[in-house]
Amino acid sequence: MKELANTTRDIARELARKYSTMTHDELDILESILVPMKYAKGEMILKEGEVCQHIYYIDRGLIRQFYFKNGKELTEHLGTDHSIFMCIESLFREEPTRLQVEALEPTMIYALPKLRLEEVALHHGNIQILYRKILEESLIISQVHADLVRFETAQDRYLKLCKLMPQVVLRAPLVYIANYLQMTPETLSRVRAATLGQ
Amino acid sequence: MKELANTTRDIARELARKYSTMTHDELDILESILVPMKYAKGEMILKEGEVCQHIYYIDRGLIRQFYFKNGKELTEHLGTDHSIFMCIESLFREEPTRLQVEALEPTMIYALPKLRLEEVALHHGNIQILYRKILEESLIISQVHADLVRFETAQDRYLKLCKLMPQVVLRAPLVYIANYLQMTPETLSRVRAATLGQ
DNA sequence: CGTTAGTTTGAGAGGACTCAAAGTCTGTGG
DNA sequence: CCACAGACTTTGAGTCCTCTCAAACTAACG
């Protein structure tokens, strides 16, 4: 248990450093609301119909968020070490998700419960700022992803993703990368074959 | 001037109602930081290279956000009455925008200066909540738009936009709607011709 | 070491693009 | 109030990228 507690503090520090600054008290509070969660490869982190109540921070691992559209599974997001994800509509509207989340590797997550985070944000300026920065960063990421797929050929989308998220490209199965880039697995396979030199 | 002040209060109430609740004091503060701005058709609201310092609330009018990519103008967003927009990367990173904003109709805007908003959010819980809800809503909207263009034919994208933003479809020039939906103007024109019955 | 999931390769079809030209609308000035 | 210039939209023809369907191949896991 000692070791777990230490790690939780590490993550609190990591979050503080990335998104804000913290007094010792605030760091204690942040640490106290973090929830460590461990998932095996293939395990579901959030299933359709559940309500998302956390902002998730991936310590180590790989996840995909996906949903069904016209009977097909679409990949909304791929996330890896040291990044944030959440099921936006479910989290903020407190409704059941359409977005499901699956661990593609053994994955260690530290979750911030939204309700607790909002409580402490009211009285602790730096945590308020942390929460806001997390939302801001998510907005920027969604904008960058939108740009990634806008008016680009399949090949260019892939090459840009390689630069933007090299870890994801190396570690995620081709099907999900293809899906995330809005192309079929066949097309991505051909793009890769054509790209080998570059 | 009397009339302008009244209108500013109206907008403060509108924002309070949409995004949070407010004490009288908080409503006064919110009103005091709102900046009314008026633009003629075709006028630029934000030019490339300027730093976005406000969250904009459209009282009446129509705007488009666009940027250049591979020498072409791409429409990132179309916004109309009673909606929020901002140049996300510029606003949060305090960098010059790549995103420009143009008024497509005579447009009345009330702007929230980010710096002032952050100041008052630190000490006024309801304004903090308002700010957060605005960010949350923006995230949801960007997700909905991402879904709109994912694995859909040109025709389906258009039909869905008609349901989602009918005012925009009625009032914006075809070129920008086409661009926003990730198709050429020619394609949208053909889609419309094929859709007349429906 | 077999079974199944995941990836590659092939052939053919189709949606959306490009380039080009004609047609229509809008607003300004005579 | 009409005429004209410029902007916007429509229509056409041909091409190409990506999709679909199908089958072979490879890798991963028990």
Side-chain angles (χ1 to χ4, degrees):
Chain A
M1 276 293 114
K2 183 86 186 333
E3 215 168 354
L4 189 66
N6 277 341
T7 312
T8 307
R9 171 145 286 248
D10 291 343
I11 300 294
R13 281 212 197 83
E14 203 167 310
L15 288 170
R17 185 172 36 76
K18 283 180 99 148
Y19 297 107
S20 185
T21 51
M22 295 272 150
T23 65
H24 282 289
D25 280 1
E26 286 168 333
L27 197 62
D28 285 343
I29 292 170
L30 184 59
E31 182 185 349
S32 77
I33 67 174
L34 277 174
V35 184
M37 301 169 164
K38 201 167 192 169
Y39 296 91
K41 178 172 176 174
E43 203 176 342
M44 295 302 298
I45 297 170
L46 208 69
K47 288 188 196 134
E48 193 169 15
E50 293 179 336
V51 175
C52 179
Q53 308 191 314
H54 299 87
I55 290 174
Y56 297 97
Y57 182 72
I58 306 173
D59 177 28
R60 283 187 54 189
L62 182 65
I63 63 94
R64 70 172 179 126
Q65 285 181 294
F66 65 98
Y67 64 108
F68 286 91
K69 180 169 180 175
N70 305 326
K72 283 178 189 163
E73 223 178 86
L74 301 194
T75 301
E76 165 103 9
H77 178 73
L78 293 167
T80 184
D81 309 353
H82 312 299
S83 72
I84 294 265
F85 72 91
M86 52 200 145
C87 296
I88 291 169
E89 290 189 57
S90 175
L91 184 70
F92 298 132
R93 294 188 168 153
E94 292 166 15
E95 295 168 355
T97 2
R98 295 174 305 109
L99 267 186
Q100 300 185 251
V101 184
E102 180 193 356
L104 296 179
E105 289 179 2
T107 297
M108 189 67 214
I109 282 174
Y110 291 81
L112 289 159
K114 188 189 76 157
L115 285 181
R116 303 242 37 219
L117 191 57
E118 288 183 350
E119 277 166 33
V120 300
L122 277 175
H123 304 293
H124 298 277
N126 287 324
I127 293 183
Q128 184 187 144
I129 289 170
L130 172 121
Y131 191 3
R132 189 158 63 225
K133 293 281 177 199
I134 288 175
L135 298 182
E136 291 175 3
E137 191 195 58
S138 301
L139 269 168
I140 291 176
I141 289 172
S142 75
Q143 191 127 326
V144 169
H145 181 242
D147 177 67
L148 180 70
V149 295
R150 228 191 313 255
F151 286 100
E152 299 272 12
T153 62
Q155 171 152 305
D156 288 342
R157 297 202 295 277
Y158 176 66
L159 290 174
K160 292 204 170 172
L161 188 71
C162 290
K163 286 195 185 165
L164 204 59
M165 306 169 71
Q167 282 305 311
V168 165
V169 174
L170 289 170
R171 288 153 62 182
L174 171 142
V175 215
Y176 304 134
I177 297 172
N179 222 265
Y180 181 62
L181 290 175
Q182 307 209 33
M183 63 188 77
T184 58
E186 291 94 330
T187 296
L188 179 54
S189 175
R190 284 184 249 263
V191 164
R192 278 186 164 169
T195 303
L196 280 185
Q198 309 168 232
Chain B
M1 279 294 115
K2 185 84 184 337
E3 217 169 353
L4 189 65
N6 276 340
T7 311
T8 307
R9 172 145 288 245
D10 289 344
I11 300 296
R13 282 214 196 82
E14 204 168 309
L15 289 170
R17 184 172 38 75
K18 281 180 102 149
Y19 296 106
S20 185
T21 50
M22 295 275 149
T23 64
H24 282 288
D25 279 1
E26 287 168 332
L27 197 62
D28 285 343
I29 292 169
L30 184 59
E31 182 184 348
S32 76
I33 67 174
L34 277 174
V35 184
M37 301 170 163
K38 201 167 191 169
Y39 295 92
K41 178 173 174 173
E43 203 176 342
M44 296 302 297
I45 296 169
L46 208 69
K47 288 187 196 135
E48 195 169 13
E50 293 179 335
V51 175
C52 179
Q53 307 191 315
H54 299 87
I55 291 175
Y56 297 96
Y57 182 71
I58 305 174
D59 177 27
R60 285 187 52 189
L62 182 65
I63 64 93
R64 71 172 178 125
Q65 286 181 294
F66 65 98
Y67 64 108
F68 285 91
K69 180 169 180 174
N70 306 326
K72 284 178 189 165
E73 222 178 87
L74 301 194
T75 302
E76 165 104 11
H77 178 72
L78 293 166
T80 184
D81 310 353
H82 312 299
S83 72
I84 294 265
F85 71 91
M86 51 200 146
C87 297
I88 290 168
E89 291 190 56
S90 175
L91 184 70
F92 297 133
R93 294 188 169 153
E94 294 166 13
E95 294 170 355
T97 1
R98 294 173 306 109
L99 267 186
Q100 302 186 248
V101 185
E102 179 193 356
L104 297 179
E105 290 179 1
T107 296
M108 187 70 215
I109 281 174
Y110 290 82
L112 289 160
K114 187 189 78 156
L115 285 182
R116 304 245 34 220
L117 192 57
E118 288 182 350
E119 277 167 34
V120 301
L122 277 175
H123 304 291
H124 299 277
N126 287 323
I127 292 183
Q128 183 187 146
I129 290 169
L130 172 121
Y131 191 3
R132 188 156 66 225
K133 292 282 176 196
I134 287 175
L135 297 182
E136 290 175 5
E137 191 195 57
S138 301
L139 270 168
I140 291 176
I141 288 173
S142 75
Q143 191 127 327
V144 169
H145 181 243
D147 177 67
L148 179 69
V149 295
R150 228 190 315 254
F151 286 100
E152 300 272 9
T153 63
Q155 170 152 305
D156 287 343
R157 297 202 294 278
Y158 176 66
L159 291 174
K160 292 206 169 169
L161 188 70
C162 290
K163 286 193 184 165
L164 204 60
M165 306 170 71
Q167 282 304 310
V168 165
V169 174
L170 290 171
R171 287 155 59 184
L174 172 141
V175 215
Y176 304 134
I177 298 172
N179 223 269
Y180 181 62
L181 290 174
Q182 307 207 34
M183 63 187 78
T184 58
E186 292 93 330
T187 297
L188 180 52
S189 175
R190 285 184 248 263
V191 165
R192 277 187 165 168
T195 303
L196 282 184
Q198 307 165 232

PDB file of all heavy atoms in Angstrom, chain B residues 105-119:
ATOM      1  N   GLU B 105     -22.656  38.545 -42.111  1.00  0.00           N
ATOM      2  CA  GLU B 105     -23.832  39.411 -42.043  1.00  0.00           C
ATOM      3  C   GLU B 105     -23.476  40.534 -41.080  1.00  0.00           C
ATOM      4  O   GLU B 105     -22.503  40.415 -40.355  1.00  0.00           O
ATOM      5  CB  GLU B 105     -25.039  38.651 -41.433  1.00  0.00           C
ATOM      6  CG  GLU B 105     -25.625  37.582 -42.305  1.00  0.00           C
ATOM      7  CD  GLU B 105     -26.808  36.877 -41.606  1.00  0.00           C
ATOM      8  OE1 GLU B 105     -27.160  37.263 -40.462  1.00  0.00           O
ATOM      9  OE2 GLU B 105     -27.370  35.963 -42.206  1.00  0.00           O
ATOM     10  N   PRO B 106     -24.269  41.592 -41.048  1.00  0.00           N
ATOM     11  CA  PRO B 106     -24.089  42.564 -39.970  1.00  0.00           C
ATOM     12  C   PRO B 106     -24.201  41.821 -38.644  1.00  0.00           C
ATOM     13  O   PRO B 106     -25.166  41.066 -38.451  1.00  0.00           O
ATOM     14  CB  PRO B 106     -25.276  43.518 -40.142  1.00  0.00           C
ATOM     15  CG  PRO B 106     -25.741  43.334 -41.541  1.00  0.00           C
ATOM     16  CD  PRO B 106     -25.370  41.937 -41.950  1.00  0.00           C
ATOM     17  N   THR B 107     -23.198  41.950 -37.797  1.00  0.00           N
ATOM     18  CA  THR B 107     -23.127  41.074 -36.626  1.00  0.00           C
ATOM     19  C   THR B 107     -22.873  41.850 -35.340  1.00  0.00           C
ATOM     20  O   THR B 107     -21.996  42.702 -35.285  1.00  0.00           O
ATOM     21  CB  THR B 107     -22.007  40.031 -36.841  1.00  0.00           C
ATOM     22  OG1 THR B 107     -22.342  39.198 -37.950  1.00  0.00           O
ATOM     23  CG2 THR B 107     -21.831  39.147 -35.608  1.00  0.00           C
ATOM     24  N   MET B 108     -23.672  41.534 -34.334  1.00  0.00           N
ATOM     25  CA  MET B 108     -23.527  42.155 -33.020  1.00  0.00           C
ATOM     26  C   MET B 108     -22.954  41.119 -32.060  1.00  0.00           C
ATOM     27  O   MET B 108     -23.544  40.061 -31.865  1.00  0.00           O
ATOM     28  CB  MET B 108     -24.902  42.617 -32.541  1.00  0.00           C
ATOM     29  CG  MET B 108     -24.867  43.428 -31.274  1.00  0.00           C
ATOM     30  SD  MET B 108     -24.140  45.079 -31.531  1.00  0.00           S
ATOM     31  CE  MET B 108     -23.288  45.308 -29.967  1.00  0.00           C
ATOM     32  N   ILE B 109     -21.804  41.444 -31.507  1.00  0.00           N
ATOM     33  CA  ILE B 109     -21.104  40.501 -30.640  1.00  0.00           C
ATOM     34  C   ILE B 109     -20.893  41.087 -29.253  1.00  0.00           C
ATOM     35  O   ILE B 109     -20.683  42.303 -29.109  1.00  0.00           O
ATOM     36  CB  ILE B 109     -19.736  40.145 -31.272  1.00  0.00           C
ATOM     37  CG1 ILE B 109     -19.928  39.114 -32.380  1.00  0.00           C
ATOM     38  CG2 ILE B 109     -18.754  39.618 -30.225  1.00  0.00           C
ATOM     39  CD1 ILE B 109     -18.678  38.801 -33.143  1.00  0.00           C
ATOM     40  N   TYR B 110     -20.978  40.264 -28.246  1.00  0.00           N
ATOM     41  CA  TYR B 110     -20.538  40.661 -26.912  1.00  0.00           C
ATOM     42  C   TYR B 110     -19.372  39.776 -26.539  1.00  0.00           C
ATOM     43  O   TYR B 110     -19.498  38.547 -26.557  1.00  0.00           O
ATOM     44  CB  TYR B 110     -21.678  40.544 -25.909  1.00  0.00           C
ATOM     45  CG  TYR B 110     -22.731  41.598 -26.158  1.00  0.00           C
ATOM     46  CD1 TYR B 110     -23.705  41.414 -27.138  1.00  0.00           C
ATOM     47  CD2 TYR B 110     -22.720  42.792 -25.453  1.00  0.00           C
ATOM     48  CE1 TYR B 110     -24.644  42.395 -27.409  1.00  0.00           C
ATOM     49  CE2 TYR B 110     -23.651  43.788 -25.712  1.00  0.00           C
ATOM     50  CZ  TYR B 110     -24.617  43.587 -26.691  1.00  0.00           C
ATOM     51  OH  TYR B 110     -25.532  44.569 -26.960  1.00  0.00           O
ATOM     52  N   ALA B 111     -18.252  40.401 -26.216  1.00  0.00           N
ATOM     53  CA  ALA B 111     -17.033  39.633 -25.994  1.00  0.00           C
ATOM     54  C   ALA B 111     -16.679  39.583 -24.515  1.00  0.00           C
ATOM     55  O   ALA B 111     -16.851  40.554 -23.780  1.00  0.00           O
ATOM     56  CB  ALA B 111     -15.891  40.253 -26.780  1.00  0.00           C
ATOM     57  N   LEU B 112     -16.224  38.410 -24.094  1.00  0.00           N
ATOM     58  CA  LEU B 112     -15.718  38.226 -22.731  1.00  0.00           C
ATOM     59  C   LEU B 112     -14.193  38.201 -22.780  1.00  0.00           C
ATOM     60  O   LEU B 112     -13.617  37.261 -23.330  1.00  0.00           O
ATOM     61  CB  LEU B 112     -16.217  36.886 -22.166  1.00  0.00           C
ATOM     62  CG  LEU B 112     -17.694  36.787 -21.814  1.00  0.00           C
ATOM     63  CD1 LEU B 112     -18.135  35.339 -21.758  1.00  0.00           C
ATOM     64  CD2 LEU B 112     -17.958  37.475 -20.476  1.00  0.00           C
ATOM     65  N   PRO B 113     -13.527  39.209 -22.226  1.00  0.00           N
ATOM     66  CA  PRO B 113     -12.062  39.204 -22.234  1.00  0.00           C
ATOM     67  C   PRO B 113     -11.569  38.081 -21.328  1.00  0.00           C
ATOM     68  O   PRO B 113     -11.937  38.007 -20.155  1.00  0.00           O
ATOM     69  CB  PRO B 113     -11.695  40.566 -21.620  1.00  0.00           C
ATOM     70  CG  PRO B 113     -12.968  41.363 -21.592  1.00  0.00           C
ATOM     71  CD  PRO B 113     -14.084  40.389 -21.546  1.00  0.00           C
ATOM     72  N   LYS B 114     -10.727  37.214 -21.886  1.00  0.00           N
ATOM     73  CA  LYS B 114     -10.298  36.041 -21.120  1.00  0.00           C
ATOM     74  C   LYS B 114      -9.614  36.420 -19.812  1.00  0.00           C
ATOM     75  O   LYS B 114      -9.907  35.828 -18.765  1.00  0.00           O
ATOM     76  CB  LYS B 114      -9.353  35.175 -21.957  1.00  0.00           C
ATOM     77  CG  LYS B 114      -9.020  33.852 -21.261  1.00  0.00           C
ATOM     78  CD  LYS B 114      -7.915  33.069 -21.975  1.00  0.00           C
ATOM     79  CE  LYS B 114      -6.559  33.627 -21.675  1.00  0.00           C
ATOM     80  NZ  LYS B 114      -5.447  32.659 -21.847  1.00  0.00           N
ATOM     81  N   LEU B 115      -8.726  37.382 -19.863  1.00  0.00           N
ATOM     82  CA  LEU B 115      -7.979  37.744 -18.656  1.00  0.00           C
ATOM     83  C   LEU B 115      -8.896  38.189 -17.532  1.00  0.00           C
ATOM     84  O   LEU B 115      -8.781  37.726 -16.397  1.00  0.00           O
ATOM     85  CB  LEU B 115      -6.958  38.854 -18.970  1.00  0.00           C
ATOM     86  CG  LEU B 115      -5.722  38.382 -19.724  1.00  0.00           C
ATOM     87  CD1 LEU B 115      -4.752  39.540 -19.933  1.00  0.00           C
ATOM     88  CD2 LEU B 115      -5.035  37.241 -18.957  1.00  0.00           C
ATOM     89  N   ARG B 116      -9.836  39.051 -17.842  1.00  0.00           N
ATOM     90  CA  ARG B 116     -10.771  39.531 -16.832  1.00  0.00           C
ATOM     91  C   ARG B 116     -11.642  38.384 -16.331  1.00  0.00           C
ATOM     92  O   ARG B 116     -11.928  38.261 -15.152  1.00  0.00           O
ATOM     93  CB  ARG B 116     -11.661  40.639 -17.398  1.00  0.00           C
ATOM     94  CG  ARG B 116     -10.894  41.820 -17.986  1.00  0.00           C
ATOM     95  CD  ARG B 116     -11.136  43.114 -17.211  1.00  0.00           C
ATOM     96  NE  ARG B 116     -11.330  42.926 -15.800  1.00  0.00           N
ATOM     97  CZ  ARG B 116     -12.221  43.582 -15.054  1.00  0.00           C
ATOM     98  NH1 ARG B 116     -13.004  44.478 -15.623  1.00  0.00           N
ATOM     99  NH2 ARG B 116     -12.337  43.353 -13.758  1.00  0.00           N
ATOM    100  N   LEU B 117     -12.048  37.548 -17.263  1.00  0.00           N
ATOM    101  CA  LEU B 117     -12.895  36.420 -16.882  1.00  0.00           C
ATOM    102  C   LEU B 117     -12.158  35.518 -15.895  1.00  0.00           C
ATOM    103  O   LEU B 117     -12.726  35.061 -14.894  1.00  0.00           O
ATOM    104  CB  LEU B 117     -13.278  35.639 -18.143  1.00  0.00           C
ATOM    105  CG  LEU B 117     -14.373  34.583 -18.015  1.00  0.00           C
ATOM    106  CD1 LEU B 117     -15.659  35.191 -17.476  1.00  0.00           C
ATOM    107  CD2 LEU B 117     -14.640  33.923 -19.362  1.00  0.00           C
ATOM    108  N   GLU B 118     -10.889  35.274 -16.150  1.00  0.00           N
ATOM    109  CA  GLU B 118     -10.128  34.415 -15.248  1.00  0.00           C
ATOM    110  C   GLU B 118      -9.938  35.066 -13.888  1.00  0.00           C
ATOM    111  O   GLU B 118     -10.028  34.402 -12.851  1.00  0.00           O
ATOM    112  CB  GLU B 118      -8.770  34.068 -15.882  1.00  0.00           C
ATOM    113  CG  GLU B 118      -8.938  33.094 -17.031  1.00  0.00           C
ATOM    114  CD  GLU B 118      -7.628  32.671 -17.667  1.00  0.00           C
ATOM    115  OE1 GLU B 118      -6.569  33.257 -17.362  1.00  0.00           O
ATOM    116  OE2 GLU B 118      -7.680  31.731 -18.492  1.00  0.00           O
ATOM    117  N   GLU B 119      -9.716  36.364 -13.886  1.00  0.00           N
ATOM    118  CA  GLU B 119      -9.594  37.081 -12.619  1.00  0.00           C
ATOM    119  C   GLU B 119     -10.854  36.899 -11.768  1.00  0.00           C
ATOM    120  O   GLU B 119     -10.781  36.462 -10.625  1.00  0.00           O
ATOM    121  CB  GLU B 119      -9.430  38.591 -12.872  1.00  0.00           C
ATOM    122  CG  GLU B 119      -8.015  39.060 -13.185  1.00  0.00           C
ATOM    123  CD  GLU B 119      -8.040  40.496 -13.727  1.00  0.00           C
ATOM    124  OE1 GLU B 119      -8.901  41.292 -13.285  1.00  0.00           O
ATOM    125  OE2 GLU B 119      -7.213  40.784 -14.603  1.00  0.00           O
TER     126      GLU B 119
END
